Amino acid sequence: MAGRFVTFEGGEGAGKSTQIARLKERLEKLGHPVLVTREPGGSPLAEEIRSFILNGHAKPLGPFAEALMFAAARIDHLDKTIKPALKNGTTVLCDRFADSTRAYQGSSGSISSETIDELERVALAGTKPDLTFILDLPAEVGLSRAGERQARKGEAMDRFEDEGLSFHRALRQAYLAIAESDPQRCAVINADQAAEDVEMAIWAALQERLPELAEPQKRPLDVA
């Protein structure tokens, strides 16, 4: 049986990494093999592209060039990491995927939806998430969390964290619009609450949308 593909989306400071780690632990306790990956990145070539973009080197080229680079990274990520794992029956948890391009470079970067559609068609080649969690919270809260995290780790803001508040507010609305346009795939989670409450909301949505992942995985000998 092919594995399930679950993606996590949201603005800066939404807590995606924390929730991915918690879901991974839950699934593995039930016997499900899990692979955690991220975008941009997830394969050697895609990680190089990630570094180039997040360090701001692609910004002068404009949103369309960034979208093309994300698409190139996504193709390699899918071919080298995601598709082989799914084929082997592994559940893939991905920190950002194609919805990020639609939100960041599309709605917030003013690239037409038709152009984004064509980039997705070429890059994804039919591979789409089974379930997408959109972690939603006010932009002000997310940016404050991101700033606190950077201060703890001594990190500088990346290419997108450095954008103004209006950009991040538009980004939030873009994600909500994506969820509204594809409600069967997307589950909006209120991320403006304690991490434990976010975790429980994610688990409840997973039980409803992908109930097979909420049950212990059957080994070959368990099958009647």
Side-chain angles (χ1 to χ4, degrees), residues 41-204:
S43 65
L45 177 59
E47 288 291 336
E48 291 183 19
I49 297 174
R50 174 190 178 90
S51 178
F52 185 83
I53 294 174
L54 295 189
N55 285 332
H57 300 310
K59 184 177 181 179
L61 302 176
F64 181 63
E66 285 185 327
L68 289 175
M69 291 181 186
F70 279 124
R74 187 162 295 127
I75 290 169
D76 194 66
H77 186 204
L78 281 163
D79 289 345
K80 302 292 178 58
T81 305
I82 295 174
K83 289 181 180 178
L86 294 175
K87 184 178 180 180
N88 289 334
T90 299
T91 295
V92 176
L93 306 181
C94 190
D95 186 341
R96 298 198 183 282
F97 193 59
D99 290 319
S100 283
T101 300
R102 185 171 294 276
Y104 279 80
Q105 284 73 45
S107 298
S108 298
S110 301
I111 297 177
S112 71
S113 59
E114 293 79 11
T115 299
I116 296 293
D117 288 343
E118 188 63 17
L119 284 174
E120 283 192 6
R121 184 188 67 80
V122 173
L124 304 188
T127 302
K128 293 187 177 182
D130 297 295
L131 174 60
T132 296
F133 292 112
I134 294 180
L135 305 189
D136 176 60
L137 78 170
E140 297 88 341
V141 175
L143 290 174
S144 176
R145 289 182 182 178
E148 292 173 359
R149 182 189 66 227
Q150 290 156 354
R152 289 195 307 270
K153 296 183 177 181
E155 298 175 343
M157 290 187 292
D158 68 28
R159 150 77 178 92
F160 298 105
E161 292 166 340
D162 199 31
E163 292 284 353
L165 180 59
S166 61
F167 175 91
H168 292 282
R169 285 174 172 167
L171 183 67
R172 182 190 186 190
Q173 295 308 311
Y175 273 123
L176 292 175
I178 289 170
E180 185 177 1
S181 70
D182 196 352
Q184 291 186 329
R185 174 176 64 87
C186 298
V188 178
I189 304 294
N190 175 17
D192 191 13
Q193 55 183 332
E196 292 74 17
D197 295 327
V198 177
E199 178 185 356
M200 293 305 297
I202 288 173
W203 187 247

